Amino acid sequence: MQRYFVDTVLQENEIYTDLNIDTHHIFNVMRMSIGDKIEVVDKNKGVFIVKIIEDTPFKIEVISTIQSVESNIKVSVYAPILKGDKLDFMLQKSTELGAEHFYFYDADRSVVKLDEKKKQKRKIRFEKIVTEASEQSKRNTIPTIEFLGKLKSIDFSQYDNVFIAYEDVRLQENKKFASALNKEDNHIAIIFGPEGGFTESEVASHNNFTIVQLGKRILRAETAPLYMLSVIDSIYN
């Protein structure tokens, strides 16, 4: 059953009209009709089964509540701006794998540089990608997206642990990512670099970074967060 998000609080046995919902997707992509049922996540992250009772105006009736919860571990992904559509792929798959927040920072070796206008255009596109991925993977939440400055200017004090994947062992003895995870940590950040990798000053910019290895191979910039999120999911869930 297809899932959608609305910015309204829903209640069982109530009827709602003209919700902010993707009716184009419902009727033209999913080919649904009056009488069909869908899943809807409301403003309070409650999940409901609703029945379509009218198409114009769009009207639904809330039938029942579904018990559905997100993972207890909250993961924030810190990413540089990458070339082409690499971030589209990363956002979609990372959302499916449970990322809670996406923060884009200005990496020293980033090839792509965006002004504020372009960042806002990217944000609109990125938000559409994570919304669709959240619906497809039946999440209760949609990840947030924010653009930040340089890595050294970011405050990481809110996290129980901050992991940065870095292949150069001169700064610190690297740990295997899986063995570095602590199941007592509830809020963690994972950081990956641009196509050219991190500079030493970026890796050394915060004393609470845990430097980790991601296996024996060097992963692409858009692949590293997927690896990390998959390992987190296998250990915590």
Side-chain angles (χ1 to χ4, degrees), residues 150-190:
K150 291 287 187 179
L151 201 59
K152 64 182 179 181
S153 68
I154 299 172
D155 180 9
F156 291 97
S157 62
Q158 62 181 302
Y159 299 105
D160 298 320
N161 216 328
V162 182
F163 298 99
I164 184 168
Y166 186 58
E167 68 275 13
D168 196 322
V169 297
R170 288 176 293 169
L171 294 183
Q172 174 180 320
E173 182 180 354
N174 288 14
K175 302 176 181 179
K176 290 184 178 180
F177 181 51
S179 63
L181 289 168
N182 184 346
K183 293 193 74 171
E184 299 300 315
D185 294 338
N186 294 315
H187 193 192
I188 65 177
I190 58 175

CSV table of all heavy atoms in Angstrom, one decimal, residues 150-190:
chain,number,residue,atom,x,y,z
A,150,LYS,N,32.1,25.7,6.2
A,150,LYS,CA,33.2,24.8,6.3
A,150,LYS,C,33.1,23.8,7.4
A,150,LYS,O,32.4,24.1,8.4
A,150,LYS,CB,34.5,25.6,6.4
A,150,LYS,CG,34.9,26.4,5.2
A,150,LYS,CD,35.5,25.6,4.1
A,150,LYS,CE,36.0,26.4,3.0
A,150,LYS,NZ,36.6,25.5,1.9
A,151,LEU,N,33.7,22.7,7.3
A,151,LEU,CA,33.6,21.6,8.3
A,151,LEU,C,34.1,22.1,9.6
A,151,LEU,O,33.5,21.8,10.7
A,151,LEU,CB,34.5,20.4,7.8
A,151,LEU,CG,34.1,19.0,8.4
A,151,LEU,CD1,32.7,18.6,8.1
A,151,LEU,CD2,35.1,18.0,7.9
A,152,LYS,N,35.2,22.9,9.7
A,152,LYS,CA,35.7,23.4,10.9
A,152,LYS,C,34.8,24.3,11.7
A,152,LYS,O,34.9,24.4,12.9
A,152,LYS,CB,37.1,24.1,10.7
A,152,LYS,CG,37.0,25.3,9.9
A,152,LYS,CD,38.4,25.9,9.7
A,152,LYS,CE,38.3,27.2,8.8
A,152,LYS,NZ,39.6,27.8,8.6
A,153,SER,N,33.8,24.9,11.0
A,153,SER,CA,32.9,25.8,11.6
A,153,SER,C,31.6,25.1,12.2
A,153,SER,O,30.8,25.8,12.8
A,153,SER,CB,32.5,26.9,10.6
A,153,SER,OG,31.7,26.4,9.6
A,154,ILE,N,31.5,23.9,12.0
A,154,ILE,CA,30.3,23.2,12.4
A,154,ILE,C,30.4,22.7,13.8
A,154,ILE,O,31.4,22.2,14.2
A,154,ILE,CB,30.0,22.0,11.4
A,154,ILE,CG1,29.8,22.5,10.0
A,154,ILE,CG2,28.8,21.2,11.9
A,154,ILE,CD1,29.7,21.4,8.9
A,155,ASP,N,29.3,22.8,14.5
A,155,ASP,CA,29.2,22.4,15.9
A,155,ASP,C,28.7,20.9,16.0
A,155,ASP,O,27.6,20.6,15.6
A,155,ASP,CB,28.3,23.3,16.7
A,155,ASP,CG,28.2,22.9,18.2
A,155,ASP,OD1,29.0,22.0,18.6
A,155,ASP,OD2,27.3,23.4,18.9
A,156,PHE,N,29.6,20.0,16.4
A,156,PHE,CA,29.2,18.6,16.5
A,156,PHE,C,28.9,18.1,17.9
A,156,PHE,O,28.9,16.9,18.2
A,156,PHE,CB,30.3,17.7,15.9
A,156,PHE,CG,30.5,17.8,14.4
A,156,PHE,CD1,31.4,18.7,13.9
A,156,PHE,CD2,29.6,17.1,13.6
A,156,PHE,CE1,31.6,18.8,12.5
A,156,PHE,CE2,29.8,17.2,12.2
A,156,PHE,CZ,30.7,18.1,11.7
A,157,SER,N,28.8,19.1,18.9
A,157,SER,CA,28.7,18.7,20.3
A,157,SER,C,27.4,18.0,20.6
A,157,SER,O,27.3,17.3,21.7
A,157,SER,CB,28.8,20.0,21.1
A,157,SER,OG,27.7,20.9,20.8
A,158,GLN,N,26.4,18.0,19.7
A,158,GLN,CA,25.1,17.4,20.0
A,158,GLN,C,25.1,15.9,19.9
A,158,GLN,O,24.2,15.2,20.3
A,158,GLN,CB,24.0,17.9,19.1
A,158,GLN,CG,24.3,17.6,17.6
A,158,GLN,CD,23.3,18.2,16.7
A,158,GLN,OE1,22.1,17.9,16.7
A,158,GLN,NE2,23.7,19.1,15.7
A,159,TYR,N,26.2,15.3,19.3
A,159,TYR,CA,26.2,13.9,18.9
A,159,TYR,C,26.9,13.1,20.0
A,159,TYR,O,27.9,13.6,20.6
A,159,TYR,CB,26.9,13.7,17.6
A,159,TYR,CG,26.2,14.4,16.4
A,159,TYR,CD1,26.7,15.6,15.9
A,159,TYR,CD2,25.0,13.9,15.9
A,159,TYR,CE1,26.1,16.2,14.9
A,159,TYR,CE2,24.4,14.5,14.9
A,159,TYR,CZ,24.9,15.7,14.4
A,159,TYR,OH,24.2,16.3,13.4
A,160,ASP,N,26.5,11.8,20.1
A,160,ASP,CA,27.2,10.9,21.0
A,160,ASP,C,28.5,10.4,20.4
A,160,ASP,O,29.4,10.1,21.1
A,160,ASP,CB,26.3,9.7,21.2
A,160,ASP,CG,25.0,10.0,22.0
A,160,ASP,OD1,25.0,10.9,22.9
A,160,ASP,OD2,24.0,9.5,21.6
A,161,ASN,N,28.5,10.4,19.0
A,161,ASN,CA,29.8,10.0,18.3
A,161,ASN,C,29.7,10.6,16.9
A,161,ASN,O,28.7,10.7,16.3
A,161,ASN,CB,29.9,8.5,18.3
A,161,ASN,CG,31.4,8.1,18.4
A,161,ASN,OD1,32.3,8.8,18.0
A,161,ASN,ND2,31.6,6.9,19.0
A,162,VAL,N,30.9,11.0,16.4
A,162,VAL,CA,31.0,11.5,15.1
A,162,VAL,C,32.1,10.7,14.3
A,162,VAL,O,33.3,10.7,14.7
A,162,VAL,CB,31.4,13.0,15.1
A,162,VAL,CG1,31.5,13.6,13.7
A,162,VAL,CG2,30.5,13.8,16.0
A,163,PHE,N,31.7,10.1,13.3
A,163,PHE,CA,32.6,9.2,12.5
A,163,PHE,C,33.0,9.8,11.2
A,163,PHE,O,32.1,10.3,10.5
A,163,PHE,CB,31.9,7.8,12.2
A,163,PHE,CG,31.6,7.1,13.5
A,163,PHE,CD1,30.3,7.1,14.0
A,163,PHE,CD2,32.5,6.3,14.2
A,163,PHE,CE1,29.9,6.4,15.1
A,163,PHE,CE2,32.2,5.6,15.3
A,163,PHE,CZ,30.9,5.7,15.8
A,164,ILE,N,34.2,9.8,10.9
A,164,ILE,CA,34.7,10.3,9.6
A,164,ILE,C,35.6,9.3,9.0
A,164,ILE,O,36.5,8.7,9.6
A,164,ILE,CB,35.5,11.7,9.9
A,164,ILE,CG1,35.9,12.3,8.5
A,164,ILE,CG2,36.7,11.5,10.8
A,164,ILE,CD1,36.5,13.7,8.6
A,165,ALA,N,35.2,8.9,7.7
A,165,ALA,CA,35.9,7.9,7.0
A,165,ALA,C,37.1,8.5,6.3
A,165,ALA,O,37.0,9.3,5.4
A,165,ALA,CB,35.0,7.2,6.0
A,166,TYR,N,38.3,8.1,6.7
A,166,TYR,CA,39.6,8.7,6.2
A,166,TYR,C,40.6,7.6,6.0
A,166,TYR,O,40.9,6.9,6.9
A,166,TYR,CB,40.0,9.8,7.2
A,166,TYR,CG,41.2,10.6,6.7
A,166,TYR,CD1,41.2,11.3,5.5
A,166,TYR,CD2,42.4,10.7,7.4
A,166,TYR,CE1,42.3,12.1,5.1
A,166,TYR,CE2,43.5,11.4,7.0
A,166,TYR,CZ,43.4,12.1,5.8
A,166,TYR,OH,44.5,12.9,5.4
A,167,GLU,N,41.2,7.6,4.8
A,167,GLU,CA,42.1,6.5,4.5
A,167,GLU,C,43.5,6.7,4.9
A,167,GLU,O,44.3,5.8,5.0
A,167,GLU,CB,42.1,6.2,3.0
A,167,GLU,CG,42.7,7.2,2.1
A,167,GLU,CD,41.7,8.3,1.7
A,167,GLU,OE1,40.6,8.4,2.4
A,167,GLU,OE2,42.0,9.1,0.8
A,168,ASP,N,43.9,7.9,5.3
A,168,ASP,CA,45.3,8.2,5.7
A,168,ASP,C,45.5,8.0,7.1
A,168,ASP,O,44.8,8.6,8.0
A,168,ASP,CB,45.6,9.7,5.4
A,168,ASP,CG,47.0,10.0,5.4
A,168,ASP,OD1,47.8,9.5,6.2
A,168,ASP,OD2,47.5,10.8,4.5
A,169,VAL,N,46.4,7.1,7.5
A,169,VAL,CA,46.6,6.6,8.9
A,169,VAL,C,47.6,7.5,9.6
A,169,VAL,O,47.9,7.2,10.8
A,169,VAL,CB,47.0,5.1,8.9
A,169,VAL,CG1,46.0,4.2,8.3
A,169,VAL,CG2,48.3,4.9,8.2
A,170,ARG,N,48.1,8.5,9.0
A,170,ARG,CA,49.1,9.3,9.7
A,170,ARG,C,48.6,10.1,10.8
A,170,ARG,O,49.3,10.4,11.8
A,170,ARG,CB,49.8,10.2,8.7
A,170,ARG,CG,50.7,9.5,7.7
A,170,ARG,CD,51.3,10.5,6.7
A,170,ARG,NE,50.3,11.0,5.8
A,170,ARG,CZ,50.4,12.0,4.9
A,170,ARG,NH1,51.6,12.6,4.9
A,170,ARG,NH2,49.5,12.4,4.1
A,171,LEU,N,47.3,10.5,10.7
A,171,LEU,CA,46.8,11.3,11.8
A,171,LEU,C,46.4,10.5,13.0
A,171,LEU,O,46.5,11.0,14.2
A,171,LEU,CB,45.5,12.1,11.3
A,171,LEU,CG,45.7,13.1,10.2
A,171,LEU,CD1,44.4,13.8,9.9
A,171,LEU,CD2,46.7,14.2,10.7
A,172,GLN,N,46.0,9.3,12.8
A,172,GLN,CA,45.5,8.5,14.0
A,172,GLN,C,45.3,7.1,13.5
A,172,GLN,O,45.1,6.8,12.3
A,172,GLN,CB,44.1,9.1,14.4
A,172,GLN,CG,43.4,8.3,15.4
A,172,GLN,CD,42.0,8.9,15.8
A,172,GLN,OE1,41.9,10.1,15.9
A,172,GLN,NE2,41.0,8.1,15.9
A,173,GLU,N,45.5,6.2,14.4
A,173,GLU,CA,45.2,4.8,14.0
A,173,GLU,C,43.8,4.6,13.7
A,173,GLU,O,42.9,4.8,14.5
A,173,GLU,CB,45.7,3.8,15.1
A,173,GLU,CG,45.5,2.4,14.8
A,173,GLU,CD,45.9,1.4,15.9
A,173,GLU,OE1,46.4,1.9,16.9
A,173,GLU,OE2,45.7,0.2,15.8
A,174,ASN,N,43.5,4.2,12.5
A,174,ASN,CA,42.1,4.0,12.1
A,174,ASN,C,41.5,2.8,12.7
A,174,ASN,O,42.1,1.8,13.0
A,174,ASN,CB,42.0,3.8,10.6
A,174,ASN,CG,42.3,5.1,9.8
A,174,ASN,OD1,42.8,6.0,10.4
A,174,ASN,ND2,41.9,5.1,8.6
A,175,LYS,N,40.2,2.8,12.9
A,175,LYS,CA,39.4,1.7,13.5
A,175,LYS,C,38.5,1.2,12.4
A,175,LYS,O,38.0,2.0,11.6
A,175,LYS,CB,38.6,2.2,14.7
A,175,LYS,CG,39.4,2.7,15.8
A,175,LYS,CD,38.4,3.2,16.9
A,175,LYS,CE,39.2,3.8,18.1
A,175,LYS,NZ,38.3,4.3,19.2
A,176,LYS,N,38.1,-0.1,12.4
A,176,LYS,CA,37.1,-0.6,11.6
A,176,LYS,C,35.8,0.0,12.0
A,176,LYS,O,35.5,0.1,13.2
A,176,LYS,CB,37.1,-2.1,11.6
A,176,LYS,CG,38.3,-2.7,10.9
A,176,LYS,CD,38.1,-4.3,10.9
A,176,LYS,CE,39.3,-4.9,10.2
A,176,LYS,NZ,39.2,-6.4,10.2
A,177,PHE,N,35.0,0.5,11.1
A,177,PHE,CA,33.7,1.2,11.4
A,177,PHE,C,32.8,0.4,12.3
A,177,PHE,O,32.3,0.8,13.3
A,177,PHE,CB,33.0,1.6,10.2
A,177,PHE,CG,31.7,2.4,10.4
A,177,PHE,CD1,31.7,3.5,11.2
A,177,PHE,CD2,30.6,2.0,9.8
A,177,PHE,CE1,30.6,4.2,11.5
A,177,PHE,CE2,29.4,2.7,10.0
A,177,PHE,CZ,29.4,3.8,10.9
A,178,ALA,N,32.6,-0.9,12.0
A,178,ALA,CA,31.7,-1.8,12.8
A,178,ALA,C,32.1,-1.9,14.2
A,178,ALA,O,31.3,-1.8,15.1
A,178,ALA,CB,31.6,-3.1,12.1
A,179,SER,N,33.4,-2.0,14.4
A,179,SER,CA,34.0,-2.2,15.8
A,179,SER,C,34.0,-0.9,16.6
A,179,SER,O,34.0,-0.9,17.8
A,179,SER,CB,35.4,-2.8,15.8
A,179,SER,OG,36.3,-1.9,15.1
A,180,ALA,N,33.9,0.2,15.9
A,180,ALA,CA,33.9,1.5,16.5
A,180,ALA,C,32.5,1.9,17.0
A,180,ALA,O,32.4,2.8,17.9
A,180,ALA,CB,34.4,2.6,15.6
A,181,LEU,N,31.5,1.3,16.5
A,181,LEU,CA,30.1,1.6,16.9
A,181,LEU,C,29.8,1.2,18.3
A,181,LEU,O,30.2,0.1,18.7
A,181,LEU,CB,29.1,1.0,15.9
A,181,LEU,CG,29.0,1.6,14.5
A,181,LEU,CD1,28.2,0.7,13.6
A,181,LEU,CD2,28.4,3.0,14.6
A,182,ASN,N,29.1,2.0,19.0
A,182,ASN,CA,28.7,1.7,20.4
A,182,ASN,C,27.1,1.7,20.5
A,182,ASN,O,26.5,2.7,20.2
A,182,ASN,CB,29.2,2.7,21.4
A,182,ASN,CG,28.9,2.4,22.8
A,182,ASN,OD1,28.1,1.6,23.1
A,182,ASN,ND2,29.6,3.1,23.7
A,183,LYS,N,26.5,0.6,20.8
A,183,LYS,CA,25.1,0.5,20.8
A,183,LYS,C,24.4,1.4,21.8
A,183,LYS,O,23.2,1.6,21.8
A,183,LYS,CB,24.7,-1.0,21.0
A,183,LYS,CG,25.0,-1.9,19.9
A,183,LYS,CD,24.3,-3.2,20.0
A,183,LYS,CE,22.9,-3.1,19.6
A,183,LYS,NZ,22.2,-4.4,19.5
A,184,GLU,N,25.2,2.0,22.7
A,184,GLU,CA,24.7,2.9,23.7
A,184,GLU,C,24.5,4.3,23.1
A,184,GLU,O,23.8,5.1,23.7
A,184,GLU,CB,25.6,3.0,24.9
A,184,GLU,CG,25.8,1.7,25.7
A,184,GLU,CD,24.5,1.2,26.2
A,184,GLU,OE1,23.7,2.0,26.8
A,184,GLU,OE2,24.3,0.0,26.1
A,185,ASP,N,25.1,4.6,22.0
A,185,ASP,CA,25.0,5.8,21.3
A,185,ASP,C,23.6,5.9,20.6
A,185,ASP,O,23.3,5.0,19.8
A,185,ASP,CB,26.1,6.1,20.3
A,185,ASP,CG,27.5,6.2,21.0
A,185,ASP,OD1,27.5,6.5,22.2
A,185,ASP,OD2,28.5,5.9,20.3
A,186,ASN,N,22.9,7.0,20.8
A,186,ASN,CA,21.6,7.1,20.1
A,186,ASN,C,21.6,8.2,19.0
A,186,ASN,O,20.7,8.2,18.2
A,186,ASN,CB,20.5,7.6,21.2
A,186,ASN,CG,20.3,6.5,22.2
A,186,ASN,OD1,20.1,5.3,21.9
A,186,ASN,ND2,20.3,6.9,23.5
A,187,HIS,N,22.6,9.1,19.0
A,187,HIS,CA,22.6,10.1,18.0
A,187,HIS,C,24.0,10.2,17.5
A,187,HIS,O,24.9,10.7,18.2
A,187,HIS,CB,22.2,11.4,18.7
A,187,HIS,CG,21.9,12.5,17.7
A,187,HIS,ND1,21.7,13.9,18.1
A,187,HIS,CD2,21.7,12.5,16.4
A,187,HIS,CE1,21.4,14.6,17.0
A,187,HIS,NE2,21.4,13.8,16.0
A,188,ILE,N,24.2,9.9,16.2
A,188,ILE,CA,25.6,9.9,15.7
A,188,ILE,C,25.6,10.6,14.3
A,188,ILE,O,24.6,10.8,13.7
A,188,ILE,CB,26.1,8.5,15.5
A,188,ILE,CG1,25.3,7.7,14.4
A,188,ILE,CG2,26.2,7.7,16.8
A,188,ILE,CD1,25.9,6.3,14.2
A,189,ALA,N,26.8,11.1,14.0
A,189,ALA,CA,27.0,11.7,12.7
A,189,ALA,C,28.0,10.9,11.9
A,189,ALA,O,29.0,10.4,12.5
A,189,ALA,CB,27.5,13.2,12.9
A,190,ILE,N,27.8,10.9,10.6
A,190,ILE,CA,28.8,10.3,9.7
A,190,ILE,C,29.2,11.3,8.7
A,190,ILE,O,28.3,12.0,8.1
A,190,ILE,CB,28.3,9.0,9.0
A,190,ILE,CG1,27.0,9.2,8.2
A,190,ILE,CG2,28.0,7.9,10.1
A,190,ILE,CD1,26.5,8.0,7.5
